[in-house]
Amino acid sequence: MTYQLESPQPAERKRRKRPLGTATSSGGRIGAPHFGTLPLGDPTGGADGIRWREQVDGKQLYPRVSIDRDVVLTMSDGVRLRATVVRPANRFGQTVLTPYPAVVNINPYNRVAVDILDQTLHAPVLGRALHTASAAIDGTGTGLEGLTNITKTLSGGVFDVFGINRSLVRSGYVQVIVDVRGTGASQGKWQILGAREQQDSVEIIDWVARQDWCDGAIGLAGWSYSAINSLQAADKRPPALKAVFAVEGCDDIVRDIYITGGMPSAFIPAWLSVVNLLKWVPNPASPVRDLVRGDTRRWLTDRLKSPATEIGSLVWGFLTARDNRIFDDPYFDDRDPQVDQIEVPTFTVGAWHDLFGSSATGIYERLEMEPGRKQMLVGDGYHIDVGSGHGKQSAPPRLDVLERAWFDRWLKGHRNGVEYYGPVTMLQQGGSWTSGPCFPRPGVAPQRLYLHDESSGTADHAEYDGSLSRRPVGRLASLPVQADIRGAVSRDMAQVTAGIAMVFGRAFFADARFQERGGLSFTSEPVAETTTISGAMNLRLNVATTAHEAIWAVTVNDVAPDGTSRVLTNGALSCSNRALDPSSSTYHDDGSLLRAHHYLSRHRKLPVPADEPVRIDVDLVPTDAVLEVGHRLRVDVYAASFPRYLTVVPDLIKARGRRQRLMLDPKHPSYLTVQTGATI
């Protein structure tokens, strides 16, 4: 099998309005000569995908691996980081001396957890049984659907990307897994993706490249935190780095999860607590040597200096709003990866309802290289179930298979055709897996749908049943809505728990009607033809409150003929954070606002006048969906969605006793701007 590649040329700077993945005149994806078996539009990878899987599941170059869990890396400031190095071994367990490319994972979740995961999944009987059960058990349509969506991740390959990937090492790689400073067995203070931690990543890459067991080519891989620090390291352009495989990373931490719409997320304190607890678990691989070398003393001293990193400042900020991390602050600017500075081939994986939902497409958009060298794969799931269902018929290859193919191509130079996969592979909500040239899909255009006071006759269970119309409302209407806690049983809850809440039933991920009882619903007529929705969207609302702060949460849903209301995307905004940054917002050629970018800073907050309507633009997570014939589009508007969106205490005081209202005003209409392929 032969593949011909164009000579790499510099990518043209991406314009904001260009669909993600559109080819450029300087050597883009579309029209590139390709002599192989992988056609554009096959999410499975076709014959190439079969070959990639066979290479992973078949006989490897080496029968065993050698694992050294007691490797010490000394950083330029003297802090000692601890690492695990996994190398190929012969059948006698002897380490192979041949140098190979290295794949580096840097994460804060403690290598103890990684070791337990590795030993469990590779136990002679238990490991095989777990993989078999994960692939075979499917509770779709039953009360176990949410649970099996999570358990299927095991057979989807993400744990090989996250932890020790024995198959990858046995095929001729070295894997290096490092505890982030201040976590696991590493010394120092945890910085949570800070500047010193980023410097550590670059120094780790340099150290690995100089070892005699490495041939000088480095790849970065990881899931979640380690995907973010992979992108951070890549933007520094270390010479030895050749490729990145990032699963559910993030390029805008503050808007995706820290303070979405200006409101903190319940996920952050929970996550900080878990990592802070794990960092107190010592390294069990070498307790005596650690004690003799003085590493235990230094490790314990560092832990005592920062026993619960960021927890105190988080609580103080929530109670007083006097900590800058409650706002969009340089603290976050220093931590967001500079994705447009990355030059090495980068494969990104995301999910429509991930914690970092906007980054699923945002990272791909900001990568300034030709499609093929960059790839985007987005599933219809959450943070914890990424890869669920991969490897099945009509689905993409497993994530470990794609990782191996990606690194084989860019670290070893194998012409395996992976650069012709995708480049944009998505599980269309309400549809199936597809691959194509760009996101949004070709053929979509903005359409404006107005929130109207005419009853749709489909949402009698909601506080208000209105309609989505192609014409504005003809009379003034004031629609009251009160905050409640129904968001605790909703897709918002599943999202903020990284998907764990799915196990409690379909109301958490498949049907929003319980949550809708506390909201205002606006529903379209049934679509007469299959209708594609693709790309960013914006909801403009005319709202008022009796207090001096108001919290608005919204969803856009697909409503089936049987009444099931499935959330496609969501967003939120506090009224005081409504100031819009036009230079960072996204507009269509016709001037339509597609993606609102709010400042979210302390100094850009606006006063909220009591009983005076104000205009807000709620940015919604970009998505890709299809409405089948007879389905409807619905907008739900809520006064809150606890615990997905929390409110700091000073803002709660401003909003106390509030009565929020959505104003349907012919002079100041409320409307959804959505990109569709047909008229709704």
Side-chain angles (χ1 to χ4, degrees):
M1 185 176 298
T2 303
Y3 294 91
Q4 178 176 325
L5 294 177
E6 291 185 320
S7 299
Q9 300 182 34
E12 177 184 301
R13 181 171 293 274
K14 188 184 297 297
R15 296 184 180 90
R16 183 179 301 278
K17 298 169 186 175
R18 181 188 297 143
L20 278 62
T22 302
T24 72
S25 60
S26 59
R29 166 67 172 81
I30 301 172
H34 174 214
F35 304 101
T37 63
L38 178 55
L40 179 68
D42 185 352
T44 70
D48 288 340
I50 294 173
R51 184 161 51 85
W52 302 335
R53 187 192 68 232
E54 290 174 344
Q55 288 178 335
V56 173
D57 293 344
K59 185 177 180 181
Q60 301 303 320
L61 184 62
Y62 298 101
R64 299 179 66 181
V65 299
S66 170
I67 303 178
D68 184 352
R69 295 183 172 89
D70 185 27
V71 178
V72 178
L73 290 72
T74 303
M75 299 293 99
S76 58
D77 63 352
V79 169
R80 292 157 65 90
L81 306 186
R82 303 296 291 275
T84 297
V85 175
V86 189
R87 297 169 61 186
N90 62 23
R91 62 191 180 94
F92 301 109
Q94 298 168 321
T95 304
V96 173
L97 300 181
T98 306
Y100 283 110
V103 175
V104 178
N105 307 66
I106 309 169
N107 77 67
Y109 298 115
N110 201 318
R111 287 173 303 122
V112 173
V114 173
D115 286 344
I116 292 173
L117 180 68
D118 172 66
Q119 291 163 4
T120 301
L121 297 183
H122 292 94
V125 177
L126 178 61
R128 183 180 296 274
L130 289 173
H131 279 91
T132 300
S134 171
I137 299 175
D138 186 351
T140 301
T142 73
L144 295 176
E145 181 176 354
L147 177 61
T148 59
N149 284 347
I150 295 174
T151 58
K152 283 187 291 186
T153 59
L154 176 58
S155 61
V158 71
F159 291 108
D160 289 303
V161 179
F162 171 75
I164 295 174
N165 190 338
R166 296 193 179 211
S167 176
L168 181 72
V169 173
R170 289 169 54 220
S171 72
Y173 285 90
V174 177
Q175 190 175 16
V176 182
I177 300 174
V178 186
D179 285 331
V180 167
R181 76 163 50 211
T183 71
S186 289
Q187 298 165 15
K189 178 183 177 181
W190 184 32
Q191 277 202 339
I192 312 181
L193 300 168
R196 177 62 243 193
E197 189 178 310
Q198 295 175 47
Q199 184 177 337
D200 287 347
S201 296
V202 175
E203 292 182 14
I204 290 167
I205 292 170
D206 179 63
W207 180 87
V208 172
R210 289 186 282 106
Q211 303 308 301
D212 56 8
W213 38 256
C214 177
D215 69 2
I218 308 293
L220 286 172
W223 176 19
S224 190
Y225 193 103
S226 50
I228 298 173
N229 63 32
S230 293
L231 297 169
Q232 287 177 327
D235 75 34
K236 311 299 185 293
R237 302 178 180 178
L241 182 63
K242 306 302 179 186
V244 171
F245 192 88
V247 178
E248 293 186 326
C250 180
D251 69 335
D252 192 342
I253 298 169
V254 65
R255 283 167 181 77
D256 269 0
I257 189 62
Y258 253 84
I259 50 170
T260 305
M263 292 169 287
S265 165
F267 172 79
I268 293 300
W271 171 74
L272 280 174
S273 299
V274 169
V275 179
N276 273 296
L277 285 172
L278 286 174
K279 77 181 188 182
W280 280 94
V281 179
N283 178 23
S286 53
V288 177
R289 277 175 291 176
D290 288 351
L291 192 62
V292 172
R293 293 181 305 205
D295 284 335
T296 300
R297 177 183 56 80
R298 287 189 289 265
W299 173 86
L300 183 58
T301 299
D302 288 340
R303 293 299 180 274
L304 291 173
K305 289 178 181 177
S306 180
T309 306
E310 296 282 8
I311 295 293
S313 60
L314 186 74
V315 173
W316 174 252
F318 184 80
L319 293 176
T320 68
R322 293 180 182 176
D323 190 281
N324 288 334
R325 282 155 288 195
I326 298 298
F327 306 95
D328 191 3
D329 183 77
Y331 174 91
F332 296 104
D333 295 337
D334 293 341
R335 285 161 169 77
D336 287 336
Q338 303 304 305
V339 175
D340 56 358
Q341 298 298 310
I342 297 174
E343 294 182 333
V344 298
T346 301
F347 197 117
T348 67
V349 179
W352 298 125
H353 301 281
D354 180 25
L355 293 161
F356 308 129
S358 296
S359 292
T361 56
I363 293 171
Y364 183 85
E365 179 180 22
R366 292 180 58 201
L367 286 167
E368 295 192 352
M369 62 186 73
E370 62 271 22
R373 283 174 59 84
K374 63 175 181 177
Q375 298 270 350
M376 178 183 92
L377 186 153
V378 187
D380 183 14
Y382 302 90
H383 199 68
I384 201 172
D385 65 338
V386 63
S388 181
H390 282 227
K392 299 291 187 179
Q393 185 176 10
S394 302
R398 302 190 316 258
L399 293 180
D400 61 316
V401 171
L402 288 170
E403 179 194 33
R404 163 80 180 275
W406 194 248
F407 288 139
D408 277 355
R409 174 65 188 91
W410 302 113
L411 270 61
K412 291 187 173 181
H414 293 179
R415 298 300 182 99
N416 57 12
V418 72
E419 66 269 44
Y420 298 105
Y421 181 71
V424 175
T425 303
M426 303 179 289
L427 179 50
Q428 191 173 43
Q429 296 191 75
S432 59
W433 281 103
T434 64
S435 284
C438 62
F439 176 82
R441 292 178 185 272
V444 298
Q447 181 179 352
R448 185 175 290 184
L449 296 171
Y450 294 93
L451 277 58
H452 206 282
D453 62 353
E454 290 182 356
S455 173
S456 72
T458 64
D460 291 339
H461 58 285
E463 280 288 316
Y464 184 82
D465 175 25
S467 60
L468 282 180
S469 174
R470 292 192 292 274
R471 57 186 176 83
V473 69
R475 58 184 178 180
L476 183 67
S478 177
L479 309 179
V481 60
Q482 293 183 339
D484 62 26
I485 59 171
R486 288 189 177 91
V489 182
S490 71
R491 197 158 206 170
D492 284 343
M493 184 64 167
Q495 186 179 38
V496 80
T497 59
I500 294 173
M502 281 194 295
V503 302
F504 299 119
R506 291 176 58 82
F508 289 87
F509 67 95
D511 193 348
R513 282 179 287 186
F514 176 79
Q515 186 185 22
E516 286 174 345
R517 295 176 188 175
L520 311 174
S521 286
F522 302 88
T523 313
S524 73
E525 292 292 324
V527 296
E529 59 181 307
T530 301
T531 301
T532 295
I533 295 171
S534 189
M537 63 182 80
N538 183 74
L539 181 63
R540 174 161 294 180
L541 297 176
N542 195 41
V543 297
T545 179
T546 57
H548 294 286
E549 181 60 288
I551 296 92
W552 295 95
V554 301
T555 63
V556 177
N557 302 11
D558 172 2
V559 182
D562 66 0
T564 300
S565 180
R566 187 180 181 93
V567 174
L568 302 177
T569 184
N570 63 346
L573 187 67
S574 57
C575 273
S576 61
N577 284 292
R578 64 187 183 277
L580 196 64
D581 179 2
S583 66
S584 298
S585 298
T586 304
Y587 298 84
H588 192 263
D589 291 333
D590 65 5
S592 300
L593 176 60
L594 297 177
R595 188 78 195 276
H597 186 98
H598 301 94
Y599 289 106
L600 304 186
S601 64
R602 182 193 301 272
H603 303 295
R604 291 283 189 164
K605 290 175 78 74
L606 298 176
V608 180
D611 288 317
E612 182 178 327
V614 296
R615 187 188 77 183
I616 64 173
D617 288 288
V618 184
D619 60 304
L620 298 154
V621 176
T623 195
D624 190 77
V626 59
L627 300 180
E628 296 293 346
V629 174
H631 285 233
R632 303 167 185 255
L633 193 68
R634 173 176 292 166
V635 171
D636 287 327
V637 180
Y638 302 99
S641 184
F642 175 85
R644 174 64 180 91
Y645 310 107
L646 305 178
T647 309
V648 297
V649 171
D651 286 344
L652 279 175
I653 294 172
K654 292 179 183 178
R656 68 186 185 279
R658 72 189 186 277
R659 295 189 296 277
Q660 294 181 205
R661 291 173 290 140
L662 173 62
M663 309 297 296
L664 300 184
D665 187 341
K667 296 180 180 179
H668 305 284
S670 297
Y671 57 86
L672 174 72
T673 301
V674 59
Q675 299 183 82
T676 70
T679 300
I680 296 178

